[in-house]
Short mmCIF file of all heavy atoms in Angstrom, two decimals:
data_model
loop_
_atom_site.label_atom_id
_atom_site.label_comp_id
_atom_site.label_asym_id
_atom_site.label_seq_id
_atom_site.Cartn_x
_atom_site.Cartn_y
_atom_site.Cartn_z
N SER A 871 22.86 -25.68 9.92
CA SER A 871 21.46 -25.59 9.49
C SER A 871 21.49 -24.71 8.12
O SER A 871 22.35 -23.89 7.99
CB SER A 871 20.57 -24.84 10.57
OG SER A 871 21.12 -23.52 10.82
N ARG A 872 20.54 -25.03 7.27
CA ARG A 872 20.57 -24.45 6.00
C ARG A 872 19.23 -23.67 5.73
O ARG A 872 18.23 -24.20 5.96
CB ARG A 872 20.71 -25.62 4.91
CG ARG A 872 22.11 -26.36 5.11
CD ARG A 872 22.03 -27.72 4.42
NE ARG A 872 22.02 -27.61 2.95
CZ ARG A 872 23.16 -27.56 2.23
NH1 ARG A 872 24.39 -27.69 2.82
NH2 ARG A 872 23.13 -27.49 0.88
N ILE A 873 19.46 -22.50 5.16
CA ILE A 873 18.26 -21.64 4.91
C ILE A 873 18.30 -21.27 3.40
O ILE A 873 19.18 -20.49 2.94
CB ILE A 873 18.25 -20.41 5.74
CG1 ILE A 873 18.43 -20.74 7.24
CG2 ILE A 873 16.95 -19.54 5.50
CD1 ILE A 873 18.63 -19.55 8.12
N GLY A 874 17.35 -21.73 2.64
CA GLY A 874 17.23 -21.44 1.30
C GLY A 874 16.71 -20.02 1.00
O GLY A 874 15.85 -19.58 1.71
N MET A 875 17.27 -19.32 0.03
CA MET A 875 17.01 -17.96 -0.15
C MET A 875 16.82 -17.60 -1.65
O MET A 875 17.47 -18.16 -2.47
CB MET A 875 18.17 -17.00 0.33
CG MET A 875 18.37 -17.03 1.79
SD MET A 875 17.24 -15.90 2.58
CE MET A 875 17.75 -16.05 4.32
N LYS A 876 15.79 -16.79 -1.91
CA LYS A 876 15.76 -16.07 -3.23
C LYS A 876 16.69 -14.92 -3.20
O LYS A 876 16.82 -14.26 -2.15
CB LYS A 876 14.35 -15.66 -3.51
CG LYS A 876 13.27 -16.69 -3.37
CD LYS A 876 11.89 -16.03 -3.44
CE LYS A 876 10.81 -16.97 -3.13
NZ LYS A 876 9.36 -16.41 -3.25
N HIS A 877 17.29 -14.63 -4.35
CA HIS A 877 18.19 -13.43 -4.24
C HIS A 877 17.97 -12.52 -5.41
O HIS A 877 17.47 -12.89 -6.52
CB HIS A 877 19.67 -13.84 -4.31
CG HIS A 877 20.10 -14.52 -5.58
ND1 HIS A 877 20.76 -15.61 -5.59
CD2 HIS A 877 20.00 -14.19 -6.87
CE1 HIS A 877 21.07 -16.07 -6.82
NE2 HIS A 877 20.54 -15.13 -7.64
N GLU A 878 18.09 -11.25 -5.16
CA GLU A 878 18.09 -10.20 -6.17
C GLU A 878 19.38 -9.35 -6.10
O GLU A 878 19.71 -8.79 -5.03
CB GLU A 878 16.83 -9.18 -5.96
CG GLU A 878 15.58 -9.89 -6.08
CD GLU A 878 14.39 -8.97 -5.77
OE1 GLU A 878 14.60 -7.75 -5.66
OE2 GLU A 878 13.25 -9.46 -5.67
N ILE A 879 20.20 -9.34 -7.13
CA ILE A 879 21.56 -8.76 -7.16
C ILE A 879 21.44 -7.49 -8.08
O ILE A 879 21.11 -7.70 -9.25
CB ILE A 879 22.55 -9.76 -7.54
CG1 ILE A 879 22.56 -10.93 -6.59
CG2 ILE A 879 23.97 -9.06 -7.58
CD1 ILE A 879 23.47 -12.10 -7.03
N ASP A 880 21.84 -6.32 -7.60
CA ASP A 880 21.92 -5.16 -8.46
C ASP A 880 23.45 -4.85 -8.52
O ASP A 880 24.07 -4.31 -7.55
CB ASP A 880 21.22 -3.98 -7.75
CG ASP A 880 21.04 -2.85 -8.73
OD1 ASP A 880 22.06 -2.60 -9.45
OD2 ASP A 880 20.07 -2.09 -8.68
N THR A 881 24.05 -5.19 -9.68
CA THR A 881 25.48 -4.96 -9.79
C THR A 881 25.86 -3.46 -9.99
O THR A 881 27.01 -3.13 -9.75
CB THR A 881 26.00 -5.77 -11.01
OG1 THR A 881 25.32 -5.38 -12.18
CG2 THR A 881 25.82 -7.27 -10.75
N VAL A 882 24.88 -2.69 -10.40
CA VAL A 882 25.13 -1.20 -10.58
C VAL A 882 25.20 -0.56 -9.14
O VAL A 882 26.18 0.25 -8.92
CB VAL A 882 24.09 -0.60 -11.47
CG1 VAL A 882 24.35 0.94 -11.54
CG2 VAL A 882 24.03 -1.25 -12.86
N LYS A 883 24.19 -0.82 -8.36
CA LYS A 883 24.12 -0.22 -7.03
C LYS A 883 25.01 -0.95 -6.08
O LYS A 883 25.32 -0.46 -4.92
CB LYS A 883 22.75 -0.15 -6.57
CG LYS A 883 21.80 0.73 -7.37
CD LYS A 883 20.39 0.69 -6.78
CE LYS A 883 19.46 1.59 -7.57
NZ LYS A 883 18.08 1.58 -6.97
N GLY A 884 25.42 -2.21 -6.36
CA GLY A 884 26.18 -2.94 -5.47
C GLY A 884 25.43 -3.44 -4.29
O GLY A 884 25.89 -3.33 -3.12
N THR A 885 24.18 -4.06 -4.52
CA THR A 885 23.33 -4.42 -3.44
C THR A 885 22.93 -5.95 -3.77
O THR A 885 22.80 -6.33 -4.88
CB THR A 885 22.14 -3.57 -3.31
OG1 THR A 885 21.29 -3.58 -4.51
CG2 THR A 885 22.54 -2.15 -2.92
N ILE A 886 22.59 -6.58 -2.69
CA ILE A 886 22.01 -7.94 -2.75
C ILE A 886 20.93 -8.10 -1.73
O ILE A 886 21.20 -7.65 -0.55
CB ILE A 886 23.10 -9.01 -2.68
CG1 ILE A 886 22.45 -10.47 -2.63
CG2 ILE A 886 23.91 -8.87 -1.30
CD1 ILE A 886 23.39 -11.57 -2.76
N PHE A 887 19.85 -8.64 -2.21
CA PHE A 887 18.61 -8.83 -1.35
C PHE A 887 18.44 -10.33 -1.17
O PHE A 887 18.26 -11.02 -2.23
CB PHE A 887 17.42 -8.01 -1.85
CG PHE A 887 16.12 -8.38 -1.14
CD1 PHE A 887 16.04 -8.27 0.18
CD2 PHE A 887 15.04 -8.82 -1.87
CE1 PHE A 887 14.83 -8.57 0.85
CE2 PHE A 887 13.79 -9.18 -1.25
CZ PHE A 887 13.73 -8.91 0.07
N LEU A 888 18.34 -10.78 0.04
CA LEU A 888 18.15 -12.22 0.27
C LEU A 888 16.77 -12.33 0.97
O LEU A 888 16.55 -11.78 2.05
CB LEU A 888 19.22 -12.81 1.08
CG LEU A 888 20.64 -12.75 0.54
CD1 LEU A 888 21.66 -13.14 1.55
CD2 LEU A 888 20.75 -13.58 -0.73
N LYS A 889 15.83 -13.12 0.31
CA LYS A 889 14.55 -13.32 0.96
C LYS A 889 14.40 -14.85 1.12
O LYS A 889 14.46 -15.59 0.19
CB LYS A 889 13.42 -12.83 0.02
CG LYS A 889 12.07 -12.93 0.62
CD LYS A 889 11.03 -12.27 -0.28
CE LYS A 889 9.67 -12.51 0.39
NZ LYS A 889 8.52 -11.90 -0.46
N PRO A 890 14.02 -15.27 2.37
CA PRO A 890 13.89 -16.74 2.67
C PRO A 890 12.66 -17.34 1.92
O PRO A 890 11.66 -16.66 1.81
CB PRO A 890 13.82 -16.84 4.06
CG PRO A 890 13.26 -15.54 4.56
CD PRO A 890 13.83 -14.53 3.53
N TYR A 891 12.76 -18.56 1.53
CA TYR A 891 11.59 -19.31 1.02
C TYR A 891 10.54 -19.54 2.04
O TYR A 891 9.41 -19.61 1.84
CB TYR A 891 12.05 -20.55 0.34
CG TYR A 891 12.74 -20.45 -0.98
CD1 TYR A 891 14.18 -20.53 -1.04
CD2 TYR A 891 12.03 -20.20 -2.10
CE1 TYR A 891 14.79 -20.34 -2.24
CE2 TYR A 891 12.66 -20.03 -3.37
CZ TYR A 891 14.02 -20.08 -3.42
OH TYR A 891 14.69 -20.00 -4.61
N LEU A 892 11.02 -19.63 3.32
CA LEU A 892 10.13 -19.87 4.50
C LEU A 892 9.98 -18.63 5.33
O LEU A 892 11.02 -18.01 5.61
CB LEU A 892 10.67 -21.05 5.34
CG LEU A 892 10.77 -22.34 4.63
CD1 LEU A 892 11.38 -23.44 5.67
CD2 LEU A 892 9.40 -22.88 4.13
N ASP A 893 8.80 -18.20 5.70
CA ASP A 893 8.57 -16.98 6.33
C ASP A 893 9.22 -16.91 7.70
O ASP A 893 9.32 -15.81 8.33
CB ASP A 893 7.04 -16.71 6.40
CG ASP A 893 6.36 -16.51 5.10
OD1 ASP A 893 7.20 -16.10 4.18
OD2 ASP A 893 5.23 -16.77 4.99
N LYS A 894 9.48 -18.02 8.32
CA LYS A 894 10.07 -18.02 9.70
C LYS A 894 11.43 -17.39 9.80
O LYS A 894 11.92 -17.18 10.96
CB LYS A 894 9.94 -19.36 10.28
CG LYS A 894 10.87 -20.42 9.72
CD LYS A 894 10.73 -21.69 10.40
CE LYS A 894 11.66 -22.77 9.78
NZ LYS A 894 11.60 -24.03 10.55
#
């Protein structure tokens, strides 16, 4: 199964935030 994600990557802090396109 595949879940599409928006991503925000902070290379300074070394963090990645993944938010799904679908709220479920």
Side-chain angles (χ1 to χ4, degrees):
S871 59
R872 301 160 69 90
I873 307 171
M875 293 279 182
K876 306 173 188 177
H877 66 229
E878 295 177 10
I879 301 172
D880 190 327
T881 57
V882 177
K883 295 180 179 179
T885 60
I886 178 171
F887 171 52
L888 300 174
K889 183 177 181 180
Y891 286 100
L892 300 178
D893 294 334
K894 66 179 181 178

